[in-house]
Amino acid sequence: MINIVIFGPPGAGKGTQAQLLAEKYDFLHISTGDLLRQEVKLETSMGLRAKAIMNRGDLVGDDIVVPLLSRALQYRTTHPDPLNEQDPWDKEIRGEQHRPEGCIIDGFPRTVQQAQTLEFLFTRLKRRIDLVVAIEVPRDELVRRIHERAAISGRADDTEEVIRHRIDLYDQQTQPVLDYYRVSGLLVTVDGSEEIPDTNRRICKAIDLRMGRL
């Protein structure tokens, strides 16, 4: 079992890569962005609080994100998700008794304090973080990609002002987290400026090396 955290600024494609890796390696994929959007869709108290914050492009506070992540890590690794009958990990209810071989988290942590919190959550589950992958993409390319995504999705948090604000926040708040993981020897940086398959091959090589497959 290997547990991975994947980083990348808005538009780097970390969500796409996380999904591809989950399929290839049989990982449980937990996206804090997806968890938050699910709460918004369900109009829960947490979702209503998070919605305005997300639309401004600001980071949702630990008081909302950490409980959602903790619940996902503890519950979805042992139970089906009652909120989504199509969840690919909701197999126990169909008698398949399947458990993913590892876990990949995207969208968290974004601060050093969150990194320490994540380590605590993993320790409680008798797990550890084995690899941290950071996807690097030039700023101009990030803006271009998000504009392209906005034209397709119509997401309210993909305006020009919000885009640049989110990238600035990533640079200011998330880079120290990468330094934190670099010191621990867990960090691997990957060039994500080319096509999706190219980035995926680079990440898979890093994972295979960590898993002892190369």
Side-chain angles (χ1 to χ4, degrees), residues 166-202:
R166 289 170 62 207
I167 295 173
D168 287 341
L169 275 180
Y170 179 86
D171 290 339
Q172 295 165 11
Q173 299 187 11
T174 309
Q175 284 299 328
V177 187
L178 299 183
D179 292 336
Y180 176 83
Y181 284 125
R182 185 176 287 107
V183 171
S184 68
L186 295 175
L187 181 68
V188 173
T189 58
V190 173
D191 178 10
S193 61
E194 298 181 27
E195 298 297 320
I196 291 172
D198 299 312
T199 303
N200 187 253
R201 280 193 292 272
R202 294 186 180 102

Side-chain angles (χ1 to χ4, degrees), residues 1-4 21-29 76-77 89 91 97-104 122 127-128 130 207 211 213:
M1 179 181 290
I2 183 170
N3 300 295
I4 297 171
L21 296 171
E23 294 170 5
K24 177 179 175 64
Y25 293 100
D26 193 23
F27 289 154
L28 171 66
H29 175 207
R76 293 184 64 203
T77 53
W89 305 111
K91 295 182 178 179
Q97 299 294 329
H98 179 78
R99 289 291 176 269
E101 293 298 322
C103 178
I104 183 163
F122 268 84
R127 294 188 179 193
R128 67 179 185 184
D130 299 289
I207 293 173
M211 294 176 72
R213 294 182 176 181

